Amino acid sequence: MTTPFARRSLLALAFAAVALPAMAQQRVIHIVVPFGTGAVQDTVARAFNNELGAALNASAIVENRAGAGGTVGAAIAAKAPADGNTLVLAAASHNIAGFLYSKLPYDPLKDFVGVANIGNAGYVLAVASGMNVSTTADFIKEVKANPGKYNYASAGNGSATHLAMASFLAKAGLQMTHIPTKSTGEAVNEVLAGRVQAVISSSIGVMGFQSDPRMKLLASTGQSRSPFLPKLPTVAESGLPGYAFDSWIGLLAPAATPKAEVERLNAAVNKVIADPAIQERFTRLGVEPRSQSAEEFQKLLRADWDAMGAVVKASGAKVD
């Protein structure tokens, strides 16, 4: 004869026997962000990861794996099982790395497949107020008159912010010292503190400082004016014709990921990005939402690969 306590224990064990397998079957999707907390990719990933997890009946967690201009996190994602459970939130720096670094433990193009293009991020040329310049033309004139005197910050060697400024300097024929940091936020803080004179930052990194007396936003770097900073001229308009730089932001998976899984992930991402609430979050982050099929995104990645190769070559930048 069993006691009430024993019956309760048996019921608890029976419940656990049913519940534990169900819990064990919960899918976990790892979104690798190859930069630190507060970086553009990190902020964007955290703006939609919970909704993506829900759309896939899974848990989607963001993992920051920063280092070496985003190549540490990319290498981790490239070597992960090709089951759709590990993605990397990449941007322009992903393809840039293939030309900037002499050796990489992966191929940025061949070792990944495009899952979904989720947005476009613009960049802004900003300077410390101590430089006393008001336009891109003023900035070019001042730096040209003082070669080697001024510094610029970036989110790290090989980052898009590094390459954006390196290509700007090459096109303008200027010399500045590169000060790499760990994130866009740190790079912007160096300018705000006056320790560094300039930065080309993602829009999100400087949008909150439009009225800050410590910094002046000179120009956006895209082909056309930013929808988030419409009064700001482009670099091409205000002093350096022919210069343009912006970045896609998207999810990549290991190259061997089955096509059916890629398409399933693509459909889920596009559904989430179409949500007005998610689009509003992206807008607040200075990111224009995008929606493409996996095939369209893959074509964009190939075209961007060629374009970034040309940009790196023109800039003369190299990281060993």
Side-chain angles (χ1 to χ4, degrees):
M1 180 175 180
T2 59
T3 65
F5 175 78
R7 284 196 295 272
R8 286 197 298 271
S9 298
L10 289 170
L11 285 171
L13 288 170
F15 175 79
V18 173
L20 285 176
M23 292 173 63
Q25 291 171 9
Q26 175 69 45
R27 182 181 183 185
V28 178
I29 297 174
H30 304 267
I31 301 177
V32 177
V33 172
F35 292 95
T37 303
V40 176
Q41 286 101 310
D42 175 68
T43 310
V44 171
R46 296 179 192 280
F48 77 101
N49 69 297
N50 289 332
E51 288 77 5
L52 179 61
L56 292 166
N57 193 29
S59 175
I61 61 174
V62 177
E63 298 182 358
N64 296 90
R65 298 297 183 93
T71 62
V72 171
I76 290 171
K79 297 172 184 177
D83 54 9
N85 291 335
T86 300
L87 308 172
V88 59
L89 192 71
S93 57
H94 179 80
N95 280 342
I96 287 170
F99 299 96
L100 206 59
Y101 288 84
S102 57
K103 291 182 180 179
L104 284 177
Y106 62 92
D107 185 300
L109 193 63
K110 296 178 181 179
D111 289 344
F112 292 91
V113 61
V115 170
N117 182 11
I118 63 174
N120 185 75
Y123 290 78
V124 173
L125 171 62
V127 299
S129 58
M131 281 199 76
N132 294 317
V133 298
S134 299
T135 67
T136 302
D138 292 341
F139 175 72
I140 292 172
K141 182 178 179 180
E142 175 65 20
V143 176
K144 188 166 289 187
N146 298 278
K149 175 182 177 180
Y150 296 114
N151 302 326
Y152 74 92
S154 81
N157 286 322
S159 66
T161 54
H162 172 203
L163 214 285
M165 183 62 93
S167 58
F168 176 96
L169 298 176
K171 190 169 185 63
L174 307 178
Q175 295 179 30
M176 296 182 76
T177 301
H178 178 210
I179 307 297
T181 67
K182 294 181 180 179
S183 70
T184 298
E186 285 190 24
V188 170
N189 284 337
E190 288 298 297
V191 176
L192 290 169
R195 291 186 289 269
V196 171
Q197 288 72 50
V199 65
I200 289 184
S201 164
S202 58
S203 297
I204 181 180
V206 294
M207 281 169 59
F209 301 104
Q210 295 178 66
S211 301
D212 195 306
R214 297 171 295 173
M215 174 183 281
K216 184 170 292 186
L217 310 189
L218 297 185
S220 59
T221 66
Q223 297 279 359
S224 57
R225 294 193 180 197
S226 166
F228 310 111
L229 297 164
K231 294 183 179 179
L232 203 63
T234 66
V235 167
E237 282 182 272
S238 56
L240 192 58
Y243 176 86
F245 189 96
D246 60 10
S247 172
W248 53 269
I249 300 177
L251 290 167
L252 311 179
T257 304
K259 183 178 179 180
E261 179 62 19
V262 170
E263 291 178 347
R264 193 169 80 87
L265 289 167
N266 177 268
V269 173
N270 286 339
K271 179 181 178 181
V272 169
I273 300 304
D275 184 337
I278 300 298
Q279 294 197 353
E280 183 180 350
R281 290 178 202 171
F282 276 28
T283 297
R284 289 201 302 267
L285 297 176
V287 174
E288 298 178 68
R290 290 284 190 270
S291 180
Q292 287 184 314
S293 68
E295 291 79 8
E296 289 170 333
F297 185 37
Q298 191 64 35
K299 289 178 182 177
L300 181 150
L301 291 173
R302 292 193 186 99
D304 183 72
W305 174 263
D306 295 335
M308 288 303 101
V311 168
V312 173
K313 183 178 180 180
S315 74
K318 202 72 180 173
V319 178
D320 294 320

